Amino acid sequence: MSDEHDHDEHDHAEHDHGENDHDRQAEAEQRARRQIALSQVRQYGDPVLRMRADEVTSFDEDLARLSERMIAVMHDADGVGLAATQVGILRRLFVFHDEDEDRVIVNPVLAAAGGAPETDEEGCLSLGPVRMPVERQLEVTVEGVDLQGAPLRLELEGMPARVVQHELDHLDGRLIIDRTDPESRREAMAQLRPRLVLTR
Ligand SMILES: [Zn+2]
């Protein structure tokens, strides 16, 4: 899932010369890193995004390395969550950022969901800049295992609860365009189609 920042906003900010050259250089580097990270994220139209990921059965070095790579991509791309399917790996795990902590959950299942459903805008690292309203329940319990295969149970509220449901959907090949209202879906599709033409 993508973050809410508008990355072009600061392009219009006025800069003095001198110390702000550093800021400008840092921004340019950050933008370049983001582009590199996004180039590793499968984009809408890629069939892998529509496939169901398989249960993880071996908790080895490969799995640890995959999760490290996913965390790095998530951060560099300014995301708050990333599912393995988004980097082309059909295994059931995702990473997400919760209160300054990076979390990994393997073979996750939604054990409980409650609270009044709330609609809010969501973006996705696989859908470019397109955002759309999605209704979610914002009190959830997710169960799974950690990278060593030990049981893990997370009780989440608010934003992390939303992120986790978004990433769980990815593992079943479901995207936010399947969850939004018909009008928002039409608008999103109109934005996504021309991009597809340009990238082919
Ligand atoms: Zn997503």
Side-chain angles (χ1 to χ4, degrees):
M1 185 161 156
S2 61
D3 208 350
E4 286 164 36
H5 302 281
D6 180 348
H7 296 278
D8 298 323
E9 228 169 50
H10 43 227
D11 289 347
H12 307 295
E14 295 258 334
H15 280 289
D16 295 321
H17 291 295
E19 65 180 66
N20 283 330
D21 284 350
H22 278 295
D23 292 352
R24 207 181 296 225
Q25 199 183 340
E27 273 174 27
E29 278 173 20
Q30 197 182 356
R31 212 170 299 141
R33 251 201 314 275
R34 183 162 194 268
Q35 281 312 314
I36 293 166
L38 283 174
S39 73
Q40 296 178 61
V41 177
R42 301 298 182 100
Q43 295 300 307
Y44 183 74
D46 191 320
V48 83
L49 292 174
R50 289 313 201 169
M51 294 169 78
R52 189 182 185 277
D54 299 317
E55 298 283 313
V56 172
T57 50
S58 39
F59 297 85
D60 52 11
E61 266 298 298
D62 282 351
L63 187 71
R65 267 197 296 270
L66 171 63
S67 74
E68 278 169 28
R69 186 182 143 220
M70 286 167 59
I71 286 168
V73 169
M74 171 179 75
H75 279 290
D76 286 350
D78 277 333
V80 287
L82 187 70
T85 44
Q86 291 181 279
V87 291
I89 307 287
L90 288 171
R91 288 192 222 159
R92 300 190 78 80
L93 76 146
F94 63 77
V95 299
F96 71 106
H97 195 70
D98 174 27
E99 288 176 352
D100 292 329
E101 204 180 331
D102 294 321
R103 291 183 181 273
V104 184
I105 184 157
V106 182
N107 297 338
V109 290
L110 196 61
E118 270 186 45
T119 301
D120 205 351
E121 296 265 304
E122 287 187 23
C124 178
L125 294 177
S126 295
L127 296 177
V130 183
R131 303 181 62 79
M132 62 204 82
V134 180
E135 187 185 272
R136 306 275 190 196
Q137 281 176 296
L138 297 187
E139 289 172 23
V140 299
T141 303
V142 183
E143 291 176 353
V145 293
D146 66 14
L147 289 169
Q148 283 75 42
L152 195 64
R153 183 186 160 90
L154 300 173
E155 286 176 18
L156 302 164
E157 273 181 43
M159 185 63 175
R162 178 175 288 280
V163 173
V164 154
Q165 289 167 87
H166 178 118
E167 304 310 331
L168 274 166
D169 275 351
H170 273 300
L171 299 180
D172 291 326
R174 202 173 297 128
L175 300 169
I176 49 176
I177 46 171
D178 311 327
R179 293 267 189 205
T180 195
D181 58 273
E183 200 191 324
S184 301
R185 184 182 308 124
R186 268 195 300 277
E187 280 172 25
M189 296 304 286
Q191 280 183 270
L192 288 164
R193 274 201 200 101
R195 277 171 49 84
L196 275 179
V197 174
L198 288 172
T199 53
R200 273 189 186 160

